[in-house]
Amino acid sequence: MKEITIITCFLNEGEEVYNTLSDLQRHVDLSVCDVLVINDGSDDGIKYDAVMQQFPFARYVKNVVRQG
């Protein structure tokens, strides 16, 4: 387990998911961080699975229905 866990949850955030993860990749020492990204049932048509493939350092959880 790493020293820090960063958890981000989102619902229908569009490009902000990409922007957030890009910023983390540029500005955070990922060797000491676990990153968990939770999609809380987005239904906006964005292919978040494809976005997440660009950030292999992050663990991705996709809720089928919104859990809040």
Side-chain angles (χ1 to χ4, degrees), residues 2-67:
K2 297 185 180 179
E3 296 175 38
I4 299 169
T5 301
I6 299 170
I7 302 171
T8 182
C9 302
F10 71 92
L11 173 69
N12 298 332
E13 292 293 327
E15 68 183 40
E16 292 307 316
V17 175
Y18 177 87
N19 293 340
T20 299
L21 292 169
S22 291
D23 286 345
L24 283 174
Q25 194 169 35
R26 278 193 303 260
H27 301 291
V28 173
D29 179 1
L30 295 171
S31 70
V32 297
C33 296
D34 285 319
V35 178
L36 175 61
V37 179
I38 302 170
N39 178 345
D40 198 22
S42 293
D43 59 3
D44 58 359
I46 303 293
K47 305 245 187 268
Y48 292 107
D49 294 345
V51 172
M52 291 306 302
Q53 288 178 359
Q54 298 175 63
F55 302 99
F57 63 85
R59 236 177 36 209
Y60 180 53
V61 175
K62 181 179 179 181
N63 294 336
V64 177
V65 295
R66 186 169 185 198
Q67 298 188 21

